[in-house]
Amino acid sequence: MEYLDLAPATHASGTVRLPGSKSISNRFLLLAALAEGETAIRDLLLSDDVERMLEALKALGIDWQRGEDNDFIVRGAAGVFQVKQAELFLGNAGTAFRPLTAALALSGGDYRLSGVPRMHERPIGDLVDALRQLGADIRYLGNEGFPPLEIRPAAIRPGGRVTVRGEASSQFLTALLLALPTTGAGATVEVAGELISKPYVEITLNLMARFGVDVERDGWRAFRIPAGARYRSPGTVFVEGDASAASYFLAAGAIAGGPVRVEGVGRDSIQGDVRFAEALAAMGAQVSMGPNWIEARAPAGGRLKAIDLDCNHIPDAAMTLAVAALFAEGTTRLRNIASWRVKETDRLAAMAAELRKLGATVEEGGDFIAVSGRPTFIPGASIDTYDDHRMAMCLSLACLGGVPLRINDPQCVNKTFPDYFERFAGLLAPVIAIDGPSASGKGTVAALVAERLGFHYLDSGALYRLVALAAIRAGVSLEDGESLARIAETLPARFEGGRILLGGTDATEAIRSEECSAGSSKVAAFPAVRGALLGRQRAYRQAPGLVAEGRDMGSVVFRDAALKVFLTATPEARAERRHKQLISKGMSVSIGTLLQDLRERDARDSARAVAPLQKCADAELLDTTAMTVEEAVSWVIERARQGLPQAAAP
Ligand code: DC
């Protein structure tokens, strides 16, 4: 089993740009597929659940293409899937399975829909019953009431009334609403019983309206799709940040000092889970909000207090409250969360079991959970995640109690947030990235900044130099990328108290030779070598923070660095500095040769295809030509004071 160890932490602060919302991403994809015209979807979430939807749409003949980054173009099929026979595997993606079931049941084809074993334990009977009222022909291939399903062509009764139960999942109502406009005949959907998770239905109605279908409604009881309604592409749409994902970071700010700011959701969001911020405020956290951001910090008095809350309106984000409860005075009671039982796992049972491992006192009922206690260190304990992304993400917060935490199967976060743990780590250990050309003095500056801030220090250039040295010593050609990458992968290097060891012998001086300097620049041009060193570099990021220097610290290795500096000086100034340095070591090289050499190296580092030396757009330029070392160090520390989270600055 794979696992991830989180070091104990007590402080979290910084800014996180959120990934796109899963709920909005998958709804936009289906709407764009069903619409007339072409839709550009910007900032789509790239995660397992969205992949399943993209694959399914492709299998159904929908033409979509990925553009730059997370931007997609979908050519709509105007309500008619061209492919009339398909087998669709939808993993554990409820946001793909339910709406596609509805859309395909009305589309007159032969389809089979299946998922992972857990998907086959998640009920779908309420949706199938509703679709059958319209004449749909759907059969259960396994257990009655559960996927996998077979759908066959059927005569759909136009303009009908259909009743759907609202108590188990709002996704059934959402699925019907999304699919019904494809018949063109209109329909009325009535909800039987209490509708849960209403904010998700709000998202559905809001997005349908953007695609030209306005649903008339009678409160939460009945929804009427007018006859003749059809989806039309609105052109370009933007996916909001994921409000449920925001909850982990905001909770981190509320638990461990803060401030933590999330960008991508805020006051103008259409997602119900932004109301998680109100729950945090009720626990005493200091919360502020703008149109597109939310920020949370710990209560003025320090500790959070327990709440008693009906969580029907924030079912997903409520999981985060259950873990925040470990940091609150008193017993937190979260009610009306029966839907937790039919999600990716039985979240009520799973949450109770894992919180108990952390020393909490937990009471678990049919539709509530009550939690009190502080996270405690229980030797040998590890957190199970039940193939449930939200279990992994919210339980990671427990490390903020200053306890070490082992999270089993952390890759389950791929469902909605593939780089969650990197982002989370970023709040616990900010990075100052200092990039620049050779001999710009960035090494001296970076080391001093790290020392003054009490941060860890990474000299990434030394790693490339070590690869070159190891290759030269082993007689490996510096043109042989594959062999060099193998050397990089298993590089027996250690940094100890200012000395650099290669395979047990001191290489501190040897890697600074001109031969190694030229060699490292050649070695660094191989993508495989760079890839092999990536994980090693990222492992330096540890609390309380890291100063990393090199060529691509801000642009590749630590893209989410809290501060990025591009430190440079004219080639003449750099050659002169290197000259003085060599003279002081008793070596003599002419300035002209050094200058020539620097220029060649600059050209090679800047022109290479992967991670070329460049100032990234969000880096600050620091030209040290006319500056002393002390001035440059002060400049960076001053920027750090302004830009870094408060507690991380000196
Ligand atoms: O910073 P330095 O001179 O010690 O770096 C040695 C070589 O390694 C340099 O030619 C460029 C390369 N390098 C790189 O490609 N990426 C980094 N992050 C650091 C160094």
Side-chain angles (χ1 to χ4, degrees):
M1 178 164 43
E2 279 187 36
Y3 59 82
L4 175 76
D5 285 330
L6 294 176
T10 49
H11 179 82
S13 48
T15 299
V16 177
R17 175 98 210 142
L18 295 166
S21 150
K22 172 185 68 162
S23 306
I24 297 177
S25 293
N26 269 352
R27 281 173 177 77
F28 268 157
L29 283 173
L30 185 61
L31 286 166
L34 295 175
E36 282 167 26
E38 195 172 282
T39 305
I41 305 180
R42 304 249 186 268
D43 303 331
L44 194 79
L45 170 67
L46 295 182
S47 77
D48 287 352
D49 280 14
V50 178
E51 292 272 327
R52 295 295 86 74
M53 179 64 107
L54 284 165
E55 286 162 10
L57 293 177
K58 188 133 274 180
L60 292 167
I62 298 296
D63 178 15
W64 58 257
Q65 262 141 27
R66 184 172 178 186
E68 268 184 30
D69 298 326
N70 296 18
D71 298 344
F72 285 71
I73 300 270
V74 181
R75 282 181 198 86
V80 188
F81 291 117
Q82 295 303 330
V83 174
K84 291 293 173 204
Q85 217 168 17
E87 296 238 0
L88 305 179
F89 173 76
L90 298 164
N92 200 6
T95 53
F97 207 110
R98 280 71 176 263
L100 281 169
T101 297
L104 295 174
L106 305 182
S107 77
D110 278 295
Y111 304 104
R112 276 170 181 248
L113 282 70
S114 66
V116 298
R118 174 63 189 169
M119 192 74 231
H120 297 172
E121 292 169 9
R122 298 173 70 184
I124 197 161
D126 290 346
L127 176 61
V128 170
D129 290 348
L131 290 164
R132 283 176 175 165
Q133 293 165 41
L134 294 165
D137 183 355
I138 306 175
R139 297 167 197 204
Y140 297 112
L141 296 173
N143 291 332
E144 195 70 6
F146 296 85
L149 302 178
E150 179 176 10
I151 293 171
R152 298 202 182 159
I156 300 300
R157 280 187 283 283
R161 289 183 94 76
V162 44
T163 304
V164 64
R165 274 175 18 97
E167 285 137 334
S169 166
S170 66
Q171 280 186 13
F172 303 143
L173 174 59
T174 279
L176 283 170
L177 291 171
L178 287 173
L180 279 167
T182 58
T183 68
T188 300
V189 187
E190 286 174 357
V191 179
E194 171 73 13
L195 176 65
I196 65 160
S197 313
K198 297 184 180 81
Y200 287 104
V201 177
E202 296 272 20
I203 296 179
T204 306
L205 297 174
N206 187 307
L207 302 188
M208 286 171 71
R210 285 203 220 164
F211 279 78
V213 173
D214 288 305
V215 178
E216 296 161 16
R217 56 190 281 197
D218 170 13
W220 295 104
R221 300 239 63 86
F223 299 84
R224 209 176 74 76
I225 290 153
R230 60 201 162 90
Y231 291 127
R232 271 177 300 245
S233 166
T236 301
V237 291
F238 291 84
V239 178
E240 279 184 19
D242 190 298
S244 312
S247 71
Y248 314 115
F249 304 113
L250 294 174
I255 290 166
V260 172
R261 179 181 280 228
V262 293
E263 290 177 350
V265 294
R267 209 185 300 118
D268 296 345
S269 169
I270 61 165
Q271 298 169 76
D273 268 357
V274 285
R275 292 189 59 198
F276 170 81
E278 291 167 20
L280 266 191
M283 293 180 89
Q286 306 181 65
V287 177
S288 45
M289 211 183 265
N292 193 33
W293 57 268
I294 309 176
E295 190 173 284
R297 60 178 81 207
R303 194 151 175 212
L304 295 168
K305 56 179 190 285
I307 48 167
D308 180 330
L309 189 69
D310 180 330
C311 295
N312 192 283
H313 62 300
I314 48 169
D316 282 358
M319 294 174 73
T320 313
L321 295 175
V323 183
L326 290 176
F327 297 86
E329 206 86 58
T331 301
T332 293
R333 220 178 151 79
L334 308 173
R335 292 177 283 107
N336 208 353
I337 49 172
S339 65
W340 279 21
R341 297 227 180 257
V342 293
K343 295 290 175 108
E344 280 79 344
T345 182
D346 176 344
R347 286 177 168 170
L348 256 165
M351 185 62 82
E354 299 313 306
L355 289 175
R356 284 189 184 114
K357 285 186 191 165
L358 292 164
T361 305
V362 183
E363 192 192 342
E364 174 202 346
D367 69 345
F368 78 91
I369 193 167
V371 183
S372 61
R374 296 275 302 161
T376 20
F377 172 56
I378 300 178
S382 60
I383 297 295
D384 287 313
T385 49
Y386 307 78
D387 198 19
D388 183 347
H389 56 138
R390 299 208 184 283
M391 287 295 291
M393 294 190 278
C394 61
L395 281 152
S396 68
L397 294 168
C399 77
L400 295 170
V403 299
L405 211 59
R406 174 162 291 185
I407 307 258
N408 293 330
D409 294 323
Q411 71 286 358
C412 63
V413 300
N414 290 347
K415 188 173 202 299
T416 53
F417 200 159
D419 60 351
Y420 169 75
F421 287 108
E422 284 87 2
R423 307 279 190 100
F424 182 57
L427 296 180
L428 313 184
V431 175
I432 299 177
I434 303 183
D435 289 305
S438 307
S440 55
K442 63 186 185 317
T444 314
V445 172
L448 282 168
V449 170
E451 190 185 311
R452 304 229 179 127
L453 295 178
F455 278 17
H456 300 275
Y457 168 57
L458 166 64
D459 171 3
S460 61
L463 293 174
Y464 291 97
R465 289 171 179 271
L466 281 162
V467 174
L469 180 65
I472 292 166
R473 286 188 178 167
V476 168
S477 155
L478 298 186
E479 311 296 332
D480 178 357
E482 247 174 61
S483 305
L484 292 169
R486 266 197 302 281
I487 291 177
E489 255 159 38
T490 53
L491 195 66
R494 275 183 304 154
F495 292 75
E496 272 180 17
R499 310 303 298 169
I500 299 173
L501 305 176
L502 181 61
T505 59
D506 195 326
T508 319
E509 308 299 332
I511 60 165
R512 302 288 157 200
S513 70
E514 283 308 308
E515 187 189 15
C516 265
S517 295
S520 60
S521 162
K522 287 185 190 153
V523 160
F526 289 102
V529 172
R530 306 196 73 82
L533 292 178
L534 205 54
R536 191 187 275 254
Q537 295 175 80
R538 288 188 173 145
Y540 278 82
R541 176 182 221 155
Q542 284 174 20
L546 173 69
V547 181
E549 57 111 338
R551 304 293 187 286
D552 60 345
M553 298 297 99
S555 58
V556 176
V557 185
F558 301 108
R559 256 182 295 213
D560 60 341
L563 174 66
K564 298 180 186 178
V565 177
F566 190 80
L567 193 152
T568 186
T570 58
E572 292 74 16
R574 290 189 279 131
E576 204 179 303
R577 284 177 195 168
R578 175 59 53 93
H579 190 239
K580 275 193 194 145
Q581 207 178 28
L582 292 176
I583 296 230
S584 72
K585 288 183 189 160
M587 302 183 222
S588 86
V589 188
S590 84
I591 288 211
T593 313
L594 283 173
L595 188 58
Q596 172 70 13
D597 202 50
L598 272 179
R599 287 201 160 118
E600 275 168 22
R601 207 129 59 93
D602 282 358
R604 200 160 39 219
D605 291 348
S606 311
R608 69 177 174 229
V610 265
L613 171 67
Q614 59 181 16
K615 177 188 164 310
C616 42
D618 52 351
E620 303 204 31
L621 181 70
L622 175 59
D623 185 337
T624 63
T625 307
M627 277 175 136
T628 62
V629 169
E630 192 48 44
E631 281 167 341
V633 171
S634 304
W635 188 97
V636 176
I637 288 186
E638 186 51 36
R639 284 294 189 289
R641 272 186 219 279
Q642 296 161 8
L644 279 190
Q646 273 166 11

